[in-house]
């Protein structure tokens, strides 16, 4: 479960996206725990443009997606 997240943001001219927040063991912020588990954490996660768009499509409104990801959308 993700508890607190900012939407993916483009941070540099190369087009890399970053997301800041905190979440549980099934969130993008999970970290390995012991030998076969995961634990919640917080921090900044690097995302490819495709990953950022996928996350945005699950969490943002259509208007926000168009505003922040217009250059990654295709018709069809």
């Amino acid at each position: 479960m993700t508890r607190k997240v900012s939407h993916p943001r483009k941070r540099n001219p190369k087009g890399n996206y970053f997301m800041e927040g905190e979440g549980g063991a099934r969130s993008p912020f999970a970290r390995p725990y012991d030998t076969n588990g995961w634990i919640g954490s917080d921090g900044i996660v690097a995302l490819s443009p495709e990953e950022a768009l996928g996350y945005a499509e699950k969490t943002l409104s259509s208007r926000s997606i168009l505003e922040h990801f217009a250059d990654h959308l295709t018709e069809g």
Side-chain angles (χ1 to χ4, degrees):
M1 171 181 217
T2 303
R3 294 186 290 256
K4 179 178 143 186
V5 174
S6 64
H7 64 80
R9 299 174 187 222
K10 190 184 278 188
R11 293 283 180 126
N12 66 26
K14 293 181 180 180
N16 296 322
Y17 284 83
F18 298 89
M19 183 170 58
E20 180 180 11
E22 64 181 75
R26 298 181 78 189
S27 77
F29 303 98
R31 295 187 185 201
Y33 179 75
D34 282 337
T35 57
N36 62 349
W38 294 89
I39 190 168
S41 184
D42 64 352
I44 297 174
V45 176
L47 302 169
S48 70
E50 294 79 19
E51 291 170 324
L53 178 58
Y55 190 83
E57 288 173 336
K58 295 176 188 174
T59 60
L60 298 178
S61 69
S62 297
R63 176 178 277 169
S64 292
I65 291 170
L66 285 171
E67 181 181 333
H68 297 286
F69 295 93
D71 54 337
H72 296 290
L73 300 174
T74 58
E75 284 190 41

